[in-house]
Amino acid sequence: MMWLPGRRDNPLVLKFYAALVLLYCAPVLQAAPDGCRRGEAGPLATVALLYKKADVTQSDFQAYWRDIHGMLATRIPGFWTYRQYHIGAAVEELSRQPADAGTVKPLDGFADVTFCTTEDIAGLAASPQAELIRDDEVNVFSSTYLYGAVAGESETLTRTEPFAQMSWKADTDHLILLLGKAPGESKADYRHALRRAAEAVKQQCAPQRLRLNLFQPYDASAWPAPGVNHQPRQVLDASLELEFADRKASLACLKQHSMLAKTPGADGAERLQLAYSVSHRYAMVADGVITLLGVRGLPATAVIQRLGADNQTTDAVLQAVYGSGVRP
């Protein structure tokens, strides 16, 4: 044990103790695993596109996904961040569909999970918690499609607020765009065009948030949840998450750039672009730690924050209620 001089009731000595604690503990408190930085998404990502069962109401779907299915998902080891985006209406002005795309089923949920290393992704593939999640999907989901993005292909280009402060009801216009290359178009050409388009939006429109995921080849067997469809009608190639001050700003920017409606040339082939508004967003895991919302659910979290009951957010209380290990 280290010896420290002075009386403990001396204010100068107390300041010395406090400074020493910060000096020794700050590196531990601020350190992040290799590949990750606090307040940001990890370099590797898994995106889930979720579609509810026809006999489940929208309100029941959202509550179940957030407070039951989602809270169980936060216990999967290896998550650095986990966000839920609850989808509102399709934005028809920004949607583009090739003639042979067929009927596209409206999206109900978009989840973005990030990881620090490839080893961390093993929790999603083989942990006991992941098995429970797969068994639970049949309760509310008719279809779930998972896409992966490797390091360098999952990137937040612009953000104006730390990840953990993303509110559960956005007061801005938040959009999710699902994108697919044209038939016969090379993946390399499409990715190059998409990166250029995203950079143009960043530079010329100054969105509050802009996040790009370039998807790896789709594998329907990667998430075998029983009783749920994993065969999409249209395989996608990328997603864009965008946030603007309001819908007017969103339309002005994205119509101007028209994103990736067609391949270059007068007779360019049509590319798939599905645009959806986000009604609510939730940070379930941030910096490798389950958030209060991810532990207690929205109804309890909302009451705690509304009443200022901060003592209900301590580790001691959470572990007393939920047991040890509620936070990874």
Side-chain angles (χ1 to χ4, degrees):
M1 182 175 178
M2 183 167 53
W3 176 77
L4 296 173
R7 289 173 52 86
R8 294 185 179 179
D9 57 355
N10 185 321
L12 292 177
V13 173
L14 292 176
K15 289 183 179 180
F16 173 76
Y17 276 120
L20 194 64
V21 167
L22 288 175
L23 176 65
Y24 279 87
C25 295
V28 176
L29 295 174
Q30 296 175 3
D34 291 343
C36 282
R37 291 192 294 184
R38 294 196 177 278
E40 299 183 9
L44 308 169
T46 294
V47 167
L49 309 181
L50 308 172
Y51 303 82
K52 70 178 184 67
K53 296 171 69 173
D55 59 349
V56 175
T57 66
Q58 194 71 15
S59 60
D60 281 349
F61 166 77
Q62 292 181 349
Y64 194 97
W65 179 32
R66 181 191 62 230
D67 297 328
I68 299 175
H69 186 87
M71 289 174 64
L72 180 58
T74 63
R75 274 62 175 183
I76 297 175
F79 285 12
W80 178 248
T81 64
Y82 168 30
R83 291 170 294 172
Q84 287 189 357
Y85 296 93
H86 293 231
I87 301 301
V91 184
E92 300 296 344
E93 303 97 314
L94 299 176
S95 295
R96 306 285 186 272
Q97 295 184 40
D100 60 351
T103 303
V104 177
K105 187 177 181 180
L107 183 70
D108 294 301
F110 179 93
D112 188 345
V113 178
T114 70
F115 310 85
C116 299
T117 67
T118 54
E119 289 76 17
D120 292 332
I121 301 176
L124 186 62
S127 68
Q129 297 92 330
E131 187 65 27
L132 295 175
I133 283 291
R134 285 191 287 268
D135 289 341
D136 180 61
E137 283 198 356
V138 72
N139 291 320
V140 289
F141 301 127
S142 63
S143 307
T144 59
Y145 312 136
L146 267 66
Y147 293 88
V150 300
E153 297 183 350
S154 174
E155 186 178 7
T156 302
L157 302 172
T158 298
R159 68 183 178 93
T160 58
E161 61 179 343
F163 175 86
Q165 293 180 15
M166 292 178 68
S167 62
W168 53 62
K169 185 171 183 180
D171 55 3
T172 54
D173 192 40
H174 207 126
L175 303 174
I176 296 292
L177 268 60
L178 305 180
L179 306 167
K181 65 183 182 67
E185 183 179 17
S186 77
K187 194 165 189 175
D189 286 346
Y190 178 75
R191 289 180 169 212
H192 179 66
L194 179 54
R195 285 186 182 278
R196 285 196 308 170
E199 189 61 32
V201 169
K202 173 184 175 181
Q203 297 298 330
Q204 299 175 28
C205 302
Q208 296 181 22
R209 188 172 180 84
L210 173 58
R211 178 166 168 77
L212 169 66
N213 278 308
L214 298 174
F215 297 153
Q216 290 296 295
Y218 183 73
D219 180 5
S221 66
W223 187 256
V228 179
N229 175 54
H230 307 295
Q231 296 286 350
R233 179 187 297 271
Q234 177 74 47
V235 175
L236 299 165
D237 296 290
S239 68
L240 273 174
E241 174 198 346
L242 301 119
E243 183 179 6
F244 294 90
D246 51 39
R247 179 58 55 85
K248 182 179 179 180
S250 298
L251 295 178
C253 174
L254 299 181
K255 281 185 174 181
Q256 171 191 351
H257 290 282
S258 67
M259 297 306 290
L260 294 171
K262 291 186 177 183
T263 56
D267 299 323
E270 288 185 304
R271 294 165 169 155
L272 181 68
Q273 178 175 299
L274 304 175
Y276 297 95
S277 64
V278 175
S279 62
H280 299 79
R281 59 186 182 182
Y282 305 99
M284 308 292 285
V285 176
D287 295 343
V289 177
I290 305 173
T291 63
L292 181 65
L293 175 66
V295 173
R296 307 201 76 158
L298 179 60
T301 299
V303 171
I304 288 170
Q305 295 190 346
R306 189 161 59 246
L307 299 182
D310 295 339
N311 60 359
Q312 292 302 299
T313 69
T314 64
D315 287 346
V317 168
L318 295 177
Q319 291 181 11
V321 175
Y322 299 101
S324 61
V326 296
R327 296 189 174 190

